[in-house]
Amino acid sequence: MGLVFRAALALAASMQLAQAQTCTPTSYSAGDIAAAVAASPNANSILKSSSCTWGGAGRSESAGNLCASNGNNFGVLQLNRSNLPPGVTPAAYEAEPLQQQVDTWAAQVGNSNTSSTGYQTLATAQSSGQPIGSTPVTSGMMAACFQFGPAICNNDVAALQSGQPCGGSNPININSVPRNQGSATTDGNGQTICSWGGNIQANINAAAATCKNGTGDCAPSNMTDFPTPPASSPSDIVVS
């Protein structure tokens, strides 16, 4: 095979790969995202039973955009770089269609963050209708806990239990403690599970009339978490 022919084949393969990984911005509704979670073979029972919660989370995290990225978190539900499957680049993940991207997200984190102390405490409080301190627990808070991961969630819940504000008396941004992220009480944007949970809850509430059983449409969010953090440091930490 001649060098020119081999070079042509290599160029064609490279162009096909680039084309395959091209991400077209989207604006999926909470209902679309909820339906994908409900239909995912990789979603556990907790995720499936709260699919509309994740529809709201997807609107808050990315405004329904498969291409959303801050350099460390990617996709409609902002999967952290460290949690991408082996061999899958951020560009390839962002270029996946909605159902495949949600399947990947569910497979990578779906069975992990629901077992943290903070998440379980929130779940118990929500099911009993009891607040933590003076703060009522919402589905949005639980979604924010799941998205931020055990470190921030556990610390925020501990702060509430001790009568402090959600992020503690002196909030610790995760970008300020790169060597000890376990002490963080906010994500890279200064959001706690309470503040970001409120944004997610607003999208859940907007979906309430139509987002039943993973179907329907919802109002867009006017606030997004993903664009602000610098590319060199993490924001939402999905798994500790």
Side-chain angles (χ1 to χ4, degrees), residues 90-101:
Y93 178 65
E94 290 173 8
E96 292 177 354
L98 176 62
Q99 188 63 62
Q100 185 179 354
Q101 200 179 91

Side-chain angles (χ1 to χ4, degrees), residues 2 13 21 25 48-49 56 70 112 122 132 144 148-149 158-159 161 175 204 227:
Q21 294 187 353
K48 285 181 179 289
S49 65
N70 66 5
S112 53
L122 292 174
I132 298 179
F148 287 173
Q161 289 175 319
N175 289 341
I204 295 171

Side-chain angles (χ1 to χ4, degrees), residues 102-141:
V102 167
D103 288 348
T104 301
W105 171 81
Q108 294 302 104
V109 303
N111 294 309
S112 53
N113 290 356
T114 57
S115 61
S116 71
T117 300
Y119 189 94
Q120 290 299 315
T121 301
L122 292 174
T124 298
Q126 187 189 43
S127 64
S128 67
Q130 297 298 310
I132 298 179
S134 59
T135 302
V137 176
T138 66
S139 296
M141 282 176 65

